[in-house]
């Protein structure tokens, strides 16, 4: 496996996800930040094919909820319940498709619940392995 840095992920595209809400940007001139939106409006925001855009997909939300419940809605390192995030312990790059797996297609054992602080600290200490399939 070749040695990669964290910016190497940006060289490859993530899968183009079929979504009905994919609308050209000119339809959304200046969107307010997500924390200023009312309930349900986040689903109306366009995605732009990035990893961050995939995190708004209902399949990721479902997988994320599954992992949070499995881990008792607590960080597995410090046991806090604040600012929880789901961390991928490994990324899979599909060589034939020249893209990474979407975030919801990983098995549950490759994901853990971390608080924001432990997640950042972990990324600063360790590189996430990338498995080429």
């Amino acid at each position: 496996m070749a040695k990669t840095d964290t910016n190497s992920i940006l060289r490859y595209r993530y899968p183009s996800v079929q979504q009905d809400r994919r609308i050209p940007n000119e339809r959304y001139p200046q969107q307010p930040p997500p924390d200023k939106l009312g309930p349900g409006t986040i689903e109306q925001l366009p995605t732009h094919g990035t990893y961050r855009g995939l995190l708004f997909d209902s399949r990721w939300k479902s997988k994320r909820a599954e992992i949070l419940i499995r881990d008792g809605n607590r960080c597995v390192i410090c046991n806090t319940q604040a600012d929880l995030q789901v961390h991928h312990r490994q990324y899979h790059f599909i060589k034939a498709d020249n893209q990474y797996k979407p975030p919801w297609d990983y098995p549950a054992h490759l994901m853990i619940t971390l608080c924001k602080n432990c997640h950042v600290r972990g990324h600063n200490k360790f590189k996430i392995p990338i498995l080429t399939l």
Side-chain angles (χ1 to χ4, degrees), residues 64 80-85 114-117:
R64 180 183 185 278
T80 187
Q81 291 181 310
D83 295 323
L84 296 178
Q85 301 175 348
L114 297 174
C115 69
K116 186 176 182 179
N117 291 337

Side-chain angles (χ1 to χ4, degrees), residues 51-69:
Y51 182 81
R52 176 168 262 158
L54 295 176
L55 299 181
F56 291 107
D57 191 286
S58 60
R59 291 168 285 190
W60 169 247
K61 290 179 181 181
S62 174
K63 184 72 162 194
R64 180 183 185 278
E66 172 190 328
I67 302 303
L68 289 171
I69 290 169

Side-chain angles (χ1 to χ4, degrees), residues 97-115:
D97 297 334
N98 195 35
Q99 64 186 14
Y100 284 90
K101 268 185 171 182
W104 54 83
D105 271 351
Y106 290 83
H109 74 275
L110 291 178
M111 297 182 203
I112 58 172
T113 302
L114 297 174
C115 69

